[in-house]
Amino acid sequence: MIEQTMPAIRALSLRRTVVRMSSALLAFERLALMGLMYLLTGLILVNVVTRYARFPIYWIDESAVYCVVWLTFIGASAMTRLRLDFAVTMLTERLSPQRQKIAKVISTGMVVVFGVALTITCVLWMDPIGLALAGFDGRKLAAETFNFLYTEHTQTLNWPTWVLYLTLPIFAVSMTVHGLANLLEDLELVPRTPPKGFQLSELDGVN
């Protein structure tokens, strides 16, 4: 009897761990979104003032663009956990409640599959193993694989582009974690956890 309950306890612990990881990640994303919004607002204000004073800072435009990119991907990840992603309900709203539940599980599962596929794609694209084998020399890796990711720099900031492109694998992993948490809730394997720090009305949830 005890041997049979141990796997069930471990599975429940694993499911709760996934939900806790998602909650912690969502709390961090909330702080990151707030910080990026303040940063973007500050960059725009400084850009307006300096242009009005005829002393423009040339790298602010590029900084604002990358700030918006990071803001978009982090926000999209948070929206996945908050179930604020877009959904077409013209078909599912005509189904029975049981079939609506099945459709929701399928759609949430597709989010997880997409997140895993995007994670694998990012690993193949950034090729951390190849970079390590090349002695963390971006030029050597480019010469061997024609992957110039680690040799390129931004136009005005002169930052390595791979640092800014990290938003893609971060988004892929975070969306996968949020998707798994949503899937566990949809399958009723864990109780639904209300998000902390986000004030959502009953009409905000779309999915």
Side-chain angles (χ1 to χ4, degrees), residues 62 66 69-70 154 157 159-168:
E62 190 176 55
Y66 287 117
V69 171
W70 276 76
T154 58
L157 292 171
W159 288 358
T161 55
W162 69 268
V163 175
L164 299 171
Y165 290 160
L166 282 176
T167 183
L168 284 173

Side-chain angles (χ1 to χ4, degrees), residues 62-82:
E62 190 176 55
S63 301
V65 170
Y66 287 117
C67 186
V68 170
V69 171
W70 276 76
L71 187 63
T72 301
F73 280 102
I74 295 176
S77 176
M79 288 176 63
T80 300
R81 182 63 178 119
L82 298 174

Side-chain angles (χ1 to χ4, degrees), residues 143-154:
E144 295 176 353
T145 64
F146 295 99
N147 186 350
F148 298 94
L149 175 64
Y150 299 99
T151 61
E152 298 177 349
H153 291 76
T154 58

